[in-house]
Amino acid sequence: MKILFTVSECVPFVKTGGLADVVGALAPVLAEKGHDVRVMLPKYAAIPENYVNQMNHVVDFEVELGWRRQYCGIEQLDMNGVTFYFVDNRYYFGRNYIYGLGGDEYERFAFFSRAVLNALPLIGFKPDILHAHDWQAGLIPVLLNAHYAALPAYSGIKTVMTIHNLQYQGIFGIKEVQDVLGLEDAMFTNDKLECFGAANFLKGGIVYSDEITTVSPSYAEEIQTAYYGERLDGLLRAKKAHVTGVLNGIDMQEYDPMEDGSIARTYSIADISGKADCKRALQEQLGLQQRPDVPIIAMVGRLSNQKGLDLVDYVIADIMREEVQLVCLGMGDSRYVNLFSWAEQNYPGRVAARFVMDHQLAHQIYAGADMFLMPSQYEPCGLSQMIAMRYGTIPLVRETGGLRDTVLSYNEFTGSGNGFSFFNYNAHDMLHTIQRALHYYFNKKDVWQILQERGMNADFSWEQSAETYINIYHGLLNAKAAESGKPTRKPPVKKSAAKDNKPSDDGPAKNKATEKKTPAKKAARPKEAN
Ligand code: ADP
């Protein structure tokens, strides 16, 4: 199968969040399974020079954007069985930021979308499946349908749109978008690109794609409700039959405590003693008190309200009244930078915060911490909780989206679970969950160890989810064959795949280790532990 990913960021080239991890890990797994996988992304100035030096110029052409004609170069780099194409235009992507600051995001990603489609015949690649990720690629299925699909070089290409975070939709003025895209008025009605008076790139992608996926089964259900639906819940309900939640995996090689070169000492389930060294090193590095007996609660991630930091703000004094140390690594909203800066000053030697993008430090925190706090307001999938578990760091999460699908709260009656969680978006529920975890940390070492083992044993690889994507792709190709009068066997596709991952009280969707070890059927939310 020929698969093209179109995306605005991808590891190892450029990353601002989980999207880059997901595409960078999924593409090689699909390639390993024998598919021809190619990825197209912008050639940002931020891409490290060593990669730029490895790129080969394939072709250049001009892209028409309304009255403008813009240069577009396509540079190629092959890595891990995947061909990466970089869309080059220095005016749009040679800037000192990835997203946001220039006020012309609509034009940058309209350019990217047209460039991707124009490039296909020139690079000699006609994908069976064009898989667009997030709003930055949302226009591609729209333009494909409106301007390209009738041409032989594009006919029959099937499209998949993945929503990695519904909050970010790419909403712009209709006039500006029309100006650069040259789309007729009829495209800006509320069954197409228009949404509450504006042009909405993600909505366009959802309307025009053959299949829609999102990154966890629970989130797939949540976004069809008004609370989580970000004003697109009606559309998603209408397309319900084509919406599937596929849980993300993590790169099991990159995040491996047995092989990790960034951490003070490697360790495994069989001998976890290295984790204490990692903790000592982390405390020393961050200027925390050298206290092996005091648990470190860590947070790594974007400092945004999505991540539930308002709850932390509300009860931070209560948290710090406990015997704990707090570590935060993240970039984002100034109010949360202020919060953790204040805490660092107010609790010297007990709180450490770093407001940078530092992948090595992230590894050291995952390894050195005892607990990982993720009280998200919503969480499409979340990678950090899975990474934390891989390092034997116990997740404390709110039961939403992918957190609900990967973390099952410890149940002292059945023994099931792999972490601790709470349901309501409520600061004191979170505080209670922290206190509950502390109880087990201090008083029930045996339980703590079991939870660590379950996390470290769990299969968070892409294996199962990659198969689910392949099933979705096959389903589309079979549908295409049927349309063209060559009916084939109906595929075992997505509905069953969605069922496989269906969130339930049975616990984490793909956490096989936990599934095996815990009689999860009885795993209701645990009652008071102590
Ligand atoms: P999101 O995609 O919402 O940002 P995820 O949990 O899905 O959140 O993925 C976040 C990824 O980015 C994780 O791999 C996390 O370790 C990493 N990350 C986030 N902030 C930082 C940072 N400041 N430094 C290093 N890594 C970070």
Side-chain angles (χ1 to χ4, degrees):
M1 209 169 358
K2 289 187 280 181
I3 303 159
L4 178 67
F5 280 3
T6 57
V7 67
S8 59
E9 56 182 273
C10 178
V11 294
F13 310 108
V14 56
K15 163 171 164 174
T16 70
L19 169 64
D21 287 319
V22 169
V23 175
L26 176 59
V29 175
L30 292 173
E32 233 169 67
K33 291 176 179 292
H35 301 288
D36 180 353
V37 184
R38 311 197 187 186
V39 180
M40 271 201 187
L41 71 158
K43 186 180 172 213
Y44 300 105
I47 295 175
E49 212 177 308
N50 62 316
Y51 295 122
V52 176
N53 292 339
Q54 293 174 50
M55 294 177 191
N56 290 315
H57 183 76
V58 184
V59 66
D60 50 74
F61 51 92
E62 282 189 339
V63 173
E64 276 183 43
L65 281 181
W67 53 267
R68 309 160 188 75
R69 294 177 77 82
Q70 301 284 23
Y71 167 86
C72 177
I74 301 290
E75 313 289 319
Q76 178 178 344
L77 189 162
D78 297 334
M79 190 189 272
N80 301 330
V82 177
T83 299
F84 294 89
Y85 295 109
F86 296 85
V87 173
D88 182 25
N89 175 298
R90 288 198 191 174
Y91 169 63
Y92 291 123
F93 303 125
R95 306 178 184 183
N96 61 357
Y97 57 83
I98 308 296
Y99 303 125
L101 303 176
D104 62 350
E105 291 294 85
Y106 67 95
E107 188 175 327
R108 295 173 81 209
F109 291 102
F111 168 80
F112 174 65
S113 304
R114 273 231 183 280
V116 164
L117 289 167
N118 288 357
L120 293 182
L122 301 175
I123 59 173
F125 185 60
K126 183 179 177 186
D128 299 308
I129 302 291
L130 194 159
H131 189 155
H133 295 266
D134 271 355
W135 75 261
Q136 291 89 349
L139 282 179
I140 297 173
V142 179
L143 294 174
L144 177 66
N145 189 283
H147 292 165
Y148 296 80
L151 306 168
Y154 302 88
S155 64
I157 296 177
K158 291 289 176 186
T159 47
V160 177
M161 177 88 228
T162 293
I163 303 166
H164 293 261
N165 189 331
L166 190 62
Q167 191 178 26
Y168 303 98
Q169 299 180 6
I171 298 172
F172 306 103
I174 289 177
K175 273 208 162 14
E176 287 82 1
V177 173
Q178 233 178 339
D179 175 46
V180 292
L181 289 179
L183 286 170
E184 61 272 31
D185 289 347
M187 296 294 288
F188 293 89
T189 54
N190 72 0
D191 58 337
K192 299 192 177 98
L193 274 171
E194 191 271 345
C195 191
F196 295 94
N200 184 320
F201 283 21
L202 183 67
K203 180 181 177 185
I206 294 171
V207 169
Y208 281 96
S209 290
D210 298 305
E211 287 292 329
I212 298 126
T213 73
T214 187
V215 289
S216 71
S218 283
Y219 194 60
E221 288 182 8
E222 287 172 351
I223 57 177
Q224 296 177 42
T225 66
Y227 184 78
Y228 290 102
E230 303 285 349
R231 310 212 288 183
L232 291 182
D233 48 298
L235 172 64
L236 290 160
R237 280 197 300 277
K239 296 204 73 165
K240 195 183 177 73
H242 298 277
V243 177
T244 311
V246 187
L247 197 67
N248 284 337
I250 58 171
D251 185 331
M252 299 286 274
Q253 258 111 51
E254 189 190 341
Y255 299 107
D256 180 358
M258 285 197 278
E259 301 287 337
D260 195 330
S262 308
I263 62 179
R265 210 181 115 200
T266 55
Y267 58 91
S268 64
I269 313 169
D271 176 8
I272 204 170
S273 61
K275 190 164 171 65
D277 291 321
C278 293
K279 180 170 177 176
R280 196 174 310 120
L282 185 67
Q283 286 173 325
E284 190 180 342
Q285 186 184 348
L286 297 179
L288 294 167
Q289 293 165 6
Q290 293 281 310
R291 296 276 306 271
D293 53 320
V294 174
I296 298 178
I297 303 178
M299 280 174 282
V300 177
R302 287 178 297 113
L303 300 181
S304 101
N305 63 345
Q306 176 202 330
K307 299 292 175 184
L309 299 171
D310 289 331
L311 303 188
V312 178
D313 189 5
Y314 202 73
V315 292
I316 192 152
D318 299 278
I319 296 173
M320 295 315 299
R321 238 171 254 132
E322 304 291 337
E323 223 10 358
V324 294
Q325 295 182 347
L326 200 62
V327 168
C328 168
L329 171 64
M331 292 171 72
D333 294 358
S334 57
R335 59 188 156 140
Y336 303 122
V337 172
N338 292 342
L339 166 69
F340 289 109
S341 303
W342 169 86
E344 199 174 21
Q345 281 171 13
N346 221 42
Y347 303 100
R350 297 185 59 213
V351 176
R354 298 290 180 270
F355 309 111
V356 288
M357 197 74 183
D358 186 336
H359 302 298
Q360 194 176 355
L361 179 57
H363 280 246
Q364 291 158 350
I365 293 173
Y366 287 120
D370 297 288
M371 304 173 198
F372 194 85
L373 181 61
M374 220 166 153
S376 304
Q377 198 169 4
Y378 72 94
E379 194 59 70
C381 177
L383 302 174
S384 306
Q385 80 282 9
M386 292 189 259
I387 301 171
M389 283 190 263
R390 182 112 170 99
Y391 284 84
T393 301
I394 305 301
L396 317 183
V397 307
R398 181 167 169 256
E399 290 157 23
T400 182
L403 296 174
R404 176 171 175 260
D405 293 337
T406 52
V407 178
L408 181 67
S409 204
Y410 176 65
N411 182 325
E412 67 267 36
F413 303 110
T414 63
S416 65
N418 58 358
F420 297 92
S421 67
F422 60 101
F423 179 73
N424 290 316
Y425 191 67
N426 176 295
H428 283 91
D429 283 4
M430 178 190 73
L431 178 64
H432 174 74
T433 302
I434 293 172
Q435 289 164 337
R436 184 165 180 252
L438 289 173
H439 164 74
Y440 284 97
Y441 178 86
F442 285 119
N443 306 319
K444 306 261 182 186
K445 299 265 184 226
D446 52 331
V447 171
W448 197 261
Q449 201 180 328
I450 290 170
L451 299 184
Q452 283 184 310
E453 282 172 11
R454 285 180 185 161
M456 293 176 78
N457 266 328
D459 177 10
F460 294 122
S461 75
W462 271 100
E463 194 50 40
Q464 192 185 328
S465 299
E467 286 299 335
T468 309
Y469 279 113
I470 289 169
N471 280 341
I472 292 171
Y473 300 155
H474 274 308
L476 285 172
L477 296 189
N478 285 351
K480 180 172 128 184
E483 280 161 22
S484 63
K486 290 183 258 162
T488 56
R489 185 173 57 85
K490 231 188 160 18
V493 210
K494 52 178 268 322
K495 283 304 117 191
S496 62
K499 222 186 228 160
D500 285 350
N501 274 340
K502 199 169 170 48
S504 72
D505 280 352
D506 291 0
K510 59 181 283 192
N511 184 341
K512 287 178 191 157
T514 310
E515 275 168 20
K516 257 182 251 154
K517 288 186 180 177
T518 59
K521 273 219 158 53
K522 292 163 213 135
R525 284 198 72 219
K527 297 204 177 72
E528 297 271 307
N530 37 2

